[in-house]
Amino acid sequence: MPRYTKRDFPVANVRRFLEPGPIVLVSSAHKDETNIMTMGWHMMMEFTPALIGCIISSENHSFELIRRSRQCVINIPTADLAATVVKIGNCSGRDVDKFSEFGLTPRPGTHVRAPLVEECYANFECRLVDSRLVKTYNMFVFEVVKAHAATSPKLPKTIHYRGDGEFMMSGVETRKFRKLFRPEML
């Protein structure tokens, strides 16, 4: 087993090692307005029902759309959309229609009013089931009420943010580790 030489590390940057999953695009709608935001702060909270916790800054245009509509779609982009994902995150829906600006296709959801992003590998229609932490931590707890996923590739190359403008990609299955885990752990 390797042994690592370590040094002090800035506490404010520990998120670079702990980011929970892929960068997602969150689409929202309220009244006649839609938006898409780039988000990295999310986590699975339960299997059944499928609950996802999301931190959305109150300064983000999507915050009020989601708070008022109590729904959104969590869309999973792949590496081929990386440049678009970054551009979406670097502008505000207050100033631009992101679907038009970035050539993305909105598709109607089956259970929510928020649009699905057609170009994404997967789309999870979500309803807000717990808003108790919104006021204090900007944390929304959503239940996935409908999921749509592409049939291939089996392991899409998703984008993961490491902080400070650094990204990495996943999508390579490491089969040698599969035998170390019990099936119920996978």
Side-chain angles (χ1 to χ4, degrees), residues 13-138:
N13 290 335
V14 298
R15 67 185 172 87
R16 296 188 69 194
F17 297 103
L18 297 172
E19 290 294 340
I23 295 295
V24 299
L25 294 175
V26 179
S27 50
S28 55
H30 182 65
K31 296 188 177 178
D32 294 330
E33 191 171 2
T34 62
N35 194 37
I36 310 170
M37 66 171 277
T38 300
M39 182 178 69
W41 289 0
H42 54 82
M43 64 182 162
M44 286 302 305
M45 297 179 70
E46 184 57 82
F47 297 109
T48 305
L51 299 180
I52 301 173
C54 299
I55 304 293
I56 301 173
S57 170
S58 60
E59 299 298 314
N60 191 297
H61 184 58
S62 293
F63 180 90
E64 282 301 317
L65 297 177
I66 293 169
R67 189 183 68 77
R68 290 182 178 172
S69 69
R70 302 181 61 82
Q71 56 184 247
C72 68
V73 177
I74 296 174
N75 302 276
I76 311 295
T78 51
D80 56 314
L81 287 176
T84 301
V85 168
V86 172
K87 289 175 188 174
I88 288 170
N90 287 331
C91 68
S92 174
R94 289 180 185 95
D95 307 320
V96 63
D97 174 343
K98 294 183 186 183
F99 278 100
S100 295
E101 180 73 16
F102 300 109
L104 297 173
T105 310
R107 292 284 186 237
T110 58
H111 289 68
V112 300
R113 283 193 57 243
L116 285 65
V117 179
E118 179 69 21
E119 291 77 9
C120 286
Y121 180 84
N123 318 93
F124 307 138
E125 298 182 42
C126 300
R127 289 205 176 122
L128 183 64
V129 293
D130 192 335
S131 61
R132 290 176 290 178
L133 299 173
V134 172
K135 187 175 181 181
T136 307
Y137 297 106
N138 296 336

